[in-house]
């Protein structure tokens, strides 16, 4: 699902909201979440999951083309941990067997 799919779904579900209002609401929520994570805060949405910022320590990697060592600096990355209700919901609705037809080979 893309952002525009989410906006369209919410606009259809809530007839009192226009497409433009729905788009503004989705943008406002995502911007608030991005700002909170950028400030280092943790976001918890009960029944859905939590977002936090994880630290990746500096490491030494290799340039695949030349093989020379490259120092990769430390970075902060967003991390999502699904809540129990979300995990159970997804698990109960996933059909048995491979999700990708190519995995069946």
């Amino acid at each position: 699902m893309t952002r525009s799919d989410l906006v369209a779904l919410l606009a259809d579900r809530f007839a009192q909201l226009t497409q433009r209002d729905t788009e503004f609401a989705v943008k406002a929520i995502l911007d608030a979440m991005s700002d909170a994570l950028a400030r280092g805060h943790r976001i918890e949405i009960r029944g859905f999951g939590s977002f936090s910022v994880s630290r990746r320590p500096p490491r030494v990697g290799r340039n695949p083309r030349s093989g020379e060592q490259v120092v990769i600096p430390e970075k902060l990355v967003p991390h999502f941990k699904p809540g129990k209700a979300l995990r159970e919901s997804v698990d109960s609705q996933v059909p048995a067997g491979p999700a990708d037809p190519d995995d069946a080979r």
Side-chain angles (χ1 to χ4, degrees), residues 8-19:
L9 180 75
L10 290 173
D12 289 345
R13 185 174 292 177
F14 300 102
Q16 69 272 23
L17 293 174
T18 65
Q19 181 91 7

Side-chain angles (χ1 to χ4, degrees), residues 33-41 53:
M33 291 174 70
S34 295
D35 291 344
L37 288 172
R39 289 191 312 269
H41 297 298
V53 177

Side-chain angles (χ1 to χ4, degrees), residues 14-89:
F14 300 102
Q16 69 272 23
L17 293 174
T18 65
Q19 181 91 7
R20 188 173 181 180
D21 289 342
T22 307
E23 192 171 336
F24 180 76
V26 168
K27 182 179 181 343
I29 290 170
L30 295 176
D31 286 347
M33 291 174 70
S34 295
D35 291 344
L37 288 172
R39 289 191 312 269
H41 297 298
R42 184 173 181 271
I43 301 168
E44 183 176 331
I45 302 171
R46 301 280 170 154
F48 185 71
S50 61
F51 297 86
S52 60
V53 177
S54 296
R55 177 185 165 271
R56 284 194 187 157
R59 61 190 172 94
V60 176
R62 287 202 181 273
N63 179 336
R65 185 171 292 186
S66 66
E68 81 178 82
Q69 290 188 342
V70 178
V71 177
I72 301 170
E74 171 184 72
K75 62 172 35 176
L76 299 175
V77 294
H79 175 75
F80 174 71
K81 181 178 178 185
K84 182 179 178 184
L86 178 62
R87 285 193 315 265
E88 289 174 352
S89 174

